[in-house]
Amino acid sequence: MPKIFKAGNYGKKGNYSIDTLKSWVGKEFNITAGHVGDWLKNGFPTTAIPVAGSCKVTNVDDQGFLIGEFNYNSFGDSIKDKYPNLSIGIGEDGTPNHLALLGYAPPHIKDLDQSFSEFSQDLTSIEETETIEFAEESDQDKIDEFIAFFRAVDVSKVNYKALFDVLYEKDDEKYAVNKLKDLGYTVEKTAEFSEETLKSIANTLGMIVTAKPVNDLTPDEIYAKAKAEFTREAEKEETKKNIIKMFPPVMHKILEFAIDKAYEESEYTNIIEFSEDDKTSMATKLKEFSQKETPFKELFKNVTSKIEFSEEENKEKSEEEIKIRIGGYYEFS
């Protein structure tokens, strides 16, 4: 059977001898999911606090441990392994009136309707309760001794930062946060700053807070957009390659700029009216142009057709000169 409490001096919460614990044998009380006080201070009536089962005190062992017999309901069976730590509630008459499964109440308070719980009972009689946490392992004895020792230490002569770090790692961060709030501090998690806090910080730093655009696309829409961008980029590079080789090097930079501009997302679908029957985007126009022959081909033929060559050697020389004059882009067959 589980140990639910141990005889000892708990300071302001009372001194409980072995004989006192033996007087509790046979007493039966509820097992609650979290302490009654945790629910009450969050606005829940005692008729809505979930009860996980019942505990009956059966014995006190030689080491001063109070032994209890547990009888869980279906709700208690579902949470007992997740919340094994116990805390006993001592009523005004000095006897236990409930046993709490520590850790359940705070995270689950928001999930429970304030007017009703399937596993609730009327716990009005135990509203006034002193709660004492209990650890089944003998480490609790060491902790009690350490607390008593530390109370007598002059903290002005002790560097207790390392001690605080250890305690912070062992305990829930909410405890430290609540302690700071009790002292009047405003505690807010950096990753969860409210809009007001961010604006206040920004004003102090001389900055302006602006809302980040929210991506509300579905996974399918994101995939379609990425695919379209990839296709547009591939088409742009192919068009650029084909057009560039049609013109002399001196024009390449201008052409690259024009093609990049035509294939920007905002321009890609922008329809231009070239004529009454020709309405299309600049990107489409450039793509069609890239699939034609160089516009300099006919020009080259017109220039060379007007030159008479008397000898084959002079003809070759003249062709080479013409090639240089028109930019060196054309290869003779």
Side-chain angles (χ1 to χ4, degrees):
M1 293 184 184
K3 300 172 182 177
I4 59 175
F5 192 58
K6 187 181 181 183
N9 188 347
Y10 291 86
K12 293 181 179 179
K13 296 186 177 184
N15 186 1
Y16 302 93
S17 65
I18 292 178
D19 289 338
T20 299
L21 268 56
K22 286 182 177 180
S23 69
W24 297 348
V25 173
K27 188 172 180 60
E28 190 170 355
F29 40 83
N30 286 316
I31 301 174
T32 58
H35 272 300
V36 172
D38 292 332
W39 296 100
L40 294 178
K41 70 181 181 183
N42 282 279
F44 288 82
T46 54
T47 53
I49 299 170
V51 173
S54 62
C55 171
K56 182 178 181 180
V57 178
T58 59
N59 189 22
V60 179
D61 67 14
D62 295 338
Q63 296 178 314
F65 286 103
L66 189 68
I67 310 299
E69 179 181 352
F70 291 179
N71 182 22
Y72 287 110
N73 56 27
S74 58
F75 169 63
D77 281 331
S78 68
I79 67 170
K80 64 181 181 181
D81 293 332
K82 295 180 182 178
Y83 304 96
N85 295 326
L86 304 174
S87 180
I88 199 165
I90 307 296
E92 292 183 310
D93 62 354
T95 64
N97 57 24
H98 77 285
L99 188 67
L101 301 181
L102 283 179
Y104 181 89
H108 296 281
I109 278 176
K110 63 181 184 300
D111 301 324
L112 187 68
D113 188 283
Q114 291 198 2
S115 61
F116 174 77
S117 168
E118 179 183 355
F119 299 95
S120 63
Q121 295 180 23
D122 188 353
L123 304 178
T124 306
S125 61
I126 62 172
E127 288 186 18
E128 298 298 326
T129 301
E130 183 71 69
T131 60
I132 306 174
E133 295 184 12
F134 169 73
E136 184 175 334
E137 302 296 330
S138 58
D139 288 346
Q140 181 65 47
D141 295 335
K142 297 177 183 178
I143 292 172
D144 292 340
E145 292 176 6
F146 175 75
I147 291 174
F149 166 77
F150 200 69
R151 288 185 187 281
V153 172
D154 183 356
V155 294
S156 65
K157 299 178 181 179
V158 178
N159 179 3
Y160 55 91
K161 180 178 181 300
L163 173 62
F164 178 82
D165 289 341
V166 172
L167 294 176
Y168 183 81
E169 291 172 5
K170 296 279 187 183
D171 203 353
D172 191 321
E173 65 177 14
K174 289 182 179 178
Y175 179 80
V177 170
N178 290 335
K179 279 292 184 183
L180 289 170
K181 286 183 176 179
D182 289 343
L183 294 173
Y185 291 94
T186 298
V187 183
E188 197 166 357
K189 198 170 184 178
T190 307
E192 300 171 0
F193 273 166
S194 65
E195 185 177 349
E196 291 73 18
T197 301
L198 288 173
K199 285 182 178 178
S200 175
I201 295 173
N203 289 336
T204 303
L205 298 175
M207 301 170 68
I208 298 175
V209 177
T210 58
K212 181 179 179 181
V214 178
N215 177 20
D216 56 358
L217 298 178
T218 66
D220 288 342
E221 289 172 334
I222 293 173
Y223 173 77
K225 183 177 181 180
K227 185 178 179 181
E229 290 178 358
F230 178 81
T231 302
R232 187 174 72 252
E233 187 67 22
E235 182 182 303
K236 181 185 77 174
E237 293 304 317
E238 182 67 18
T239 301
K240 185 184 294 186
K241 182 183 71 174
N242 292 336
I243 289 182
I244 289 299
K245 69 182 181 182
M246 296 164 61
F247 290 84
V250 69
M251 300 180 67
H252 288 183
K253 290 293 183 182
I254 297 175
L255 291 167
E256 287 178 357
F257 174 80
I259 295 168
D260 287 341
K261 184 66 177 176
Y263 275 88
E264 288 180 359
E265 186 175 5
S266 58
E267 295 291 336
Y268 186 68
T269 56
N270 186 29
I271 302 301
I272 301 173
E273 185 173 347
F274 292 94
S275 68
E276 187 174 344
D277 300 324
D278 188 5
K279 300 176 183 179
T280 185
S281 68
M282 181 59 73
T284 301
K285 203 72 175 174
L286 289 171
K287 181 180 178 181
E288 292 174 352
F289 181 78
S290 71
Q291 295 169 348
K292 298 178 180 179
E293 292 185 333
T294 171
F296 287 93
K297 184 174 182 180
E298 295 300 322
L299 174 63
F300 179 77
K301 287 180 179 179
N302 292 336
V303 172
T304 56
S305 65
K306 295 178 181 180
I307 301 175
E308 294 183 1
F309 299 96
S310 59
E311 297 179 3
E312 188 69 23
E313 181 179 355
N314 290 336
K315 178 181 179 181
E316 291 178 359
K317 182 177 180 182
S318 298
E319 287 179 343
E320 183 64 31
E321 289 176 352
I322 294 170
K323 176 183 175 183
I324 293 172
R325 289 175 186 174
I326 64 175
Y329 71 93
Y330 190 83
E331 294 187 8
F332 299 92
S333 57

